[in-house]
Amino acid sequence: MAQVILAREREHKSGRPYSAMPCLFVLLALASRVSGDSFPIDYRQCQSFDDFGWPRFESDEALVSSPWSAYLTEVYGALPVEYPFCTFDLWLIGSVPAFPSLNLTLDPSKASLLNRINHTFHAGDYDDGDFFQTSFGMWIYHSDVVVAEQNTWLEVQHMLFETERQAMWFTRSRGSGIWYNVGRTISFVSDDGHNAAYAYFAARGCVYPLPPNPPNGTLNCSAPAQVEYCLEIASYSENAMAVCAGNEGYESVQFASAPGPIVNIFGRVGWLELFSTSLQGKYACGTPAGGTSAGFRFGWNAREPCNCIEGGYQYAPTNCDGNRIVV
């Protein structure tokens, strides 16, 4: 059956210029939507009228009196600069020291590390606001995940994978406090997004090397014992595609699910993933130099350069621990 592949490529933009505004509140509103480099920010507070059971804070005073104050300060280095602030805006909830004080309860019936890996879920299996464990952190489910526009700063999460030799893969993760600029980007919105991308770049001359044969001639990527081998096999095509995308002038390639099945990979459901063609995911910090060399940013609205400390071990996280304030 033929699949409809939606590949969207928009014109390269240089960012949104500032203009003189007569009112201070207008200036503040504009500043909240651009980074220090004047590129768009993928974040708008309290866009949903429904909080789905998650706390909403109308003022700084209300937030300061809540356990969420310490949590957000640990993650972002400071409290939010705009109110109201809605905790439902967050996708990722981190295991920082202040987390236990939030008294949150995970839903054990949802996806997790060893629970239905690569299982296909369907509409109705997850509801907005569901809180569940994944292989790489705790997650608040959102049904409205969409790809980012050109040159947008968005919050990401990455774990070191030694197989990411020509690309650095991210999960789009509002709530991480770590920002990456997608630059010139192309998006594939499909329930078979990786294959859609492979076909797109193959039509433009990309050649994918053949991976090694699986042991005993069989491979089951739903079996936890074979996940690492599956990643190694997939990396042959993924790294080749990253080189081809970079040669086409793309800084990033994004993948999002079309309306329909939701696939659980590493416990993620309804996720948006993307990769950088200029960074290497075999380093937690994206480059062997670490520090600020990869260009990540940290804090609310990507306010400052991220000082990443290289972990050097499998699954070591991208971090801004050189910036982070621990209370």
Side-chain angles (χ1 to χ4, degrees):
M1 179 181 295
Q3 294 183 334
V4 177
I5 299 172
L6 303 177
R8 301 192 303 167
E9 176 182 357
R10 295 184 174 86
E11 293 182 357
H12 179 67
K13 301 177 183 177
S14 60
R16 297 179 181 175
Y18 289 104
S19 60
M21 295 287 184
C23 300
L24 178 59
F25 77 89
V26 177
L27 283 172
L28 291 174
L30 179 61
S32 71
R33 297 182 181 183
V34 296
S35 73
D37 293 329
S38 299
F39 287 130
I41 290 287
D42 172 49
Y43 185 67
R44 302 289 186 275
Q45 288 183 197
C46 299
Q47 291 298 291
S48 172
F49 291 107
D50 193 334
D51 294 320
F52 301 98
W54 290 87
R56 176 186 292 241
F57 299 98
E58 298 293 341
S59 66
D60 181 79
E61 291 77 12
L63 180 55
V64 167
S65 64
S66 163
W68 282 93
S69 174
Y71 173 82
L72 293 171
T73 301
E74 284 190 50
V75 174
Y76 285 93
L79 294 180
V81 296
E82 294 181 79
Y83 291 89
F85 175 77
C86 298
T87 57
F88 176 67
D89 290 343
L90 308 175
W91 299 359
L92 173 70
I93 300 295
S95 299
V96 297
F99 167 74
S101 68
L102 301 180
N103 292 318
L104 300 176
T105 302
L106 294 161
D107 185 341
S109 70
K110 306 300 179 180
S112 63
L113 174 59
L114 299 178
N115 179 15
R116 295 178 287 183
I117 292 177
N118 288 340
H119 179 78
T120 298
F121 293 86
H122 299 86
D125 290 344
Y126 279 77
D127 296 312
D128 284 311
D130 282 352
F131 184 50
F132 55 95
Q133 181 71 51
T134 78
S135 302
F136 302 117
M138 294 164 283
W139 205 253
I140 302 173
Y141 179 73
H142 292 73
S143 61
D144 59 349
V145 178
V146 295
V147 296
E149 300 289 341
Q150 306 288 333
N151 297 311
T152 298
W153 285 100
L154 48 77
E155 287 175 275
V156 296
Q157 183 188 37
H158 168 78
M159 301 294 178
L160 184 157
F161 281 86
E162 295 179 355
T163 55
E164 296 181 17
R165 294 176 284 271
Q166 301 292 338
M168 186 173 191
W169 287 78
F170 303 102
T171 295
R172 185 173 173 183
S173 303
R174 288 179 183 168
S176 72
I178 302 170
W179 300 78
Y180 162 74
N181 193 301
V182 300
R184 183 170 183 258
T185 189
I186 183 170
S187 304
F188 296 88
V189 183
S190 167
D191 289 329
D192 196 17
H194 287 200
N195 286 333
Y198 291 143
Y200 178 88
F201 289 109
R204 285 153 180 77
C206 193
V207 177
Y208 303 108
L210 293 175
N213 292 322
N216 302 320
T218 61
L219 189 64
N220 179 10
C221 292
S222 294
Q226 294 197 37
V227 167
E228 292 296 330
Y229 196 80
C230 289
L231 291 171
E232 177 63 33
I233 288 179
S235 72
Y236 282 74
S237 295
E238 290 174 350
N239 285 313
M241 177 169 59
V243 172
C244 294
N247 290 339
E248 291 279 335
Y250 295 108
E251 161 56 27
S252 65
V253 177
Q254 301 179 67
F255 303 91
S257 295
I262 303 167
V263 178
N264 162 23
I265 303 174
F266 297 119
R268 307 288 193 188
V269 289
W271 72 343
L272 187 150
E273 62 176 344
L274 64 154
F275 66 77
S276 165
T277 63
S278 65
L279 302 174
Q280 294 174 288
K282 66 179 182 178
Y283 304 107
C285 298
T287 72
T292 61
S293 62
F296 298 120
R297 296 186 73 87
F298 169 71
W300 297 105
N301 296 333
R303 68 181 185 186
E304 63 187 74
C306 168
N307 183 4
C308 182
I309 299 174
E310 182 61 47
Y313 56 89
Q314 182 77 334
Y315 306 140
T318 300
N319 63 82
C320 299
D321 289 343
N323 308 70
R324 209 176 297 277
I325 298 173
V326 179
V327 296

